[in-house]
Each structure stands twice: as C-alpha cells, then as structure tokens.
Amino acid sequence: MQKRILIIEDEAPIRDMVAFALRRAEMLPVCAGDAGEAQLAIADAVPDLILLDWMLPGISGMDLARRLRRDELTRDLPIIMLTARGEETDRVAGLDAGVDDYVVKPFSTRELVARIKAVLRRSQGEDGAGVIELGGLRLDGQAHRVFAGDEPVHLGPTEYRLLHFFMSHSERVYSRAQLLDHVWGGSVYVEERTVDVHIRRLRKTLEAWGLDTLIQTVRGTGYRFSAQPAPVRP
C-alpha cells in the first residue's frame, strides 16, 4: 500500500517538486498550503507521515507541530520539518516541538525521500512484538502501546523506539553514538545532540508518573535504563 505523505508547505514550487519526487518513489502526496488546509486533509484521511514547513502563514510550523502532538488523532504521526534554519539551536527547537527529523533547505529530493523512508521504517517497523514490564512501565510491542500502571503513555514514534530499546536492554550503558546506531540506524545522519533532545522529551513524558528517573545519565559515557536507583557519586 502506498504511504500517504502530507506536505504542508506554502510555496507552490516546493510543494510541486516534493510531490513529484514522492510520486516517483511510489508514495501518495497530499498537499496543503497552510494549517487550515492541513487539518482538512487530516480529517479526510490520516497520513502516514507529515512534511512540515517551518514558516507558514498564520501559524508557524513549530506551533502547528505542537498542536499536532496534542491532538489524539495525530500525536503518534512522524513529522519531518522542512526549514531554511540550519543553526543547531533552531534544529533543537524543532525537535523540542515534537518533530522526528528535519531537512534543511535547499535540499535534494533524493535526500528527502531517503529521510522519509528512514523515519517510516523507524516509526512503523518496530520488530518487538512481545510485552515488556519493567519499573512500573508496560510496553506492548504488538499493540505499539505503553502503559504506566493502567494508564496509557502517549509517545511520539522516536520516543517509543527509544523506550523500547532501553527496556529491551536494561541495566546496560549506551553512548549517544550507540543509541543513534541502534535506534535511528547507522545509515541515517543525525547529530548526537539529537539523542539528548529525545531523552529529555521521553523523561518529560514519564515525569507525570514519577518514572523519569528510570532513564539515568551516566557521566562521561551515556545513558542507562534501570529500575534500580542510580548510584550516588561520592
């Protein structure tokens, strides 16, 4: 089945270029020029992935990303932000807003299609089908759901994969580079700082149940998932 990709971009030439590339990659592009058109497109049929321009008329892409993450219908959809802002602070701000990846303009359509395929693999290709229970969390790989006790925990696709990896490999310490390789995939270029952003987002979500301490920072090394209290440094 063709993957339905919603392109939210107010510049028609860029929309047309991206849509053409997606059709060549055997994907189904759906175009929207602003947030209003995007909401109508989502109401008509929920896409598999959203390409979101940073600069939109009326509401910024950052604000729209936050709105999509709050909406039950779209909170789990992978989002790639298209932006002319290449500074690290801008990229981190986009990740903080809930996007899963970013592509800086000008970009090649080949790179964009490769990023889309990689994000789709990460978000929909989770290979864990069992149930893992640890530290008050229950992760059901087959249903793609996480629970704290009996309450559902709503995570974005990248945070879900990160938590799945941590819970599948508890009590082990992983460097940022190792987490990038295991969770994002070695063939995808993502900066190590991205790991910190997603760790922070995952902790913030788990904080509501007092479970953020399950993800421990190991100074000078990386991160560990553990139901045991972190050792106290002298």
Side-chain angles (χ1 to χ4, degrees):
M1 182 180 295
Q2 283 184 309
K3 296 300 183 182
R4 186 182 183 91
I5 311 298
L6 175 58
I7 309 165
I8 310 175
E9 165 66 64
D10 63 321
E11 296 187 38
I14 296 179
R15 277 201 314 269
D16 295 343
M17 175 186 69
V18 172
F20 178 76
L22 293 179
R23 282 191 289 268
R24 289 191 61 182
E26 299 184 343
M27 299 181 190
L28 178 62
V30 179
C31 297
D34 55 34
E37 291 181 6
Q39 295 290 352
L40 290 174
I42 292 169
D44 181 57
V46 178
D48 294 289
L49 180 143
I50 294 174
L51 294 176
L52 176 60
D53 184 35
W54 182 302
M55 301 297 293
L56 290 173
I59 178 175
S60 72
M62 293 272 286
D63 290 335
L64 182 54
R66 295 188 183 97
R67 181 186 296 180
L68 292 168
R69 284 290 175 247
R70 290 193 299 265
D71 191 319
E72 185 174 357
L73 190 64
T74 56
R75 62 162 52 113
D76 296 328
L77 289 181
I79 301 173
I80 298 178
M81 181 163 279
L82 308 177
T83 175
R85 300 169 180 262
E87 296 298 322
E88 181 185 22
T89 53
D90 294 321
R91 296 195 298 269
V92 170
L95 293 168
D96 277 335
V99 306
D100 298 281
D101 201 355
Y102 52 83
V103 176
V104 177
K105 298 177 181 178
F107 53 81
S108 74
T109 54
R110 289 182 61 187
E111 177 194 3
L112 180 61
V113 169
R115 292 287 188 98
I116 290 170
K117 289 180 177 179
V119 171
L120 286 172
R121 283 196 302 270
R122 297 200 303 260
S123 63
Q124 300 175 355
E126 181 58 59
D127 56 4
V131 175
I132 308 172
E133 295 190 52
L134 191 63
L137 285 174
R138 184 172 84 258
L139 187 148
D140 186 334
Q142 187 170 9
H144 210 81
R145 293 177 182 236
V146 179
F147 298 88
D150 294 326
E151 296 183 53
V153 179
H154 299 294
L155 298 171
T158 302
E159 283 71 45
Y160 175 86
R161 282 189 60 84
L162 187 59
L163 181 63
H164 185 280
F165 179 78
F166 271 137
M167 293 182 70
S168 303
H169 303 81
S170 64
E171 304 299 336
R172 305 180 200 176
V173 179
Y174 289 92
S175 67
R176 291 170 179 83
Q178 288 173 322
L179 289 171
L180 283 175
D181 186 51
H182 288 292
V183 179
W184 278 260
S187 61
V188 178
Y189 173 73
V190 182
E191 296 175 354
E192 290 191 4
R193 175 71 182 275
T194 300
V195 174
D196 298 329
V197 174
H198 287 284
I199 291 283
R200 186 166 66 248
R201 280 166 51 178
L202 181 54
R203 280 174 170 162
K204 185 176 181 180
T205 300
L206 297 178
E207 189 177 10
W209 294 273
L211 299 176
D212 52 302
T213 55
L214 291 170
I215 303 171
Q216 301 170 2
T217 300
V218 181
R219 281 192 166 184
T221 305
Y223 296 99
R224 164 181 58 216
F225 185 95
S226 176
Q228 305 299 319
V232 178
R233 293 176 61 87

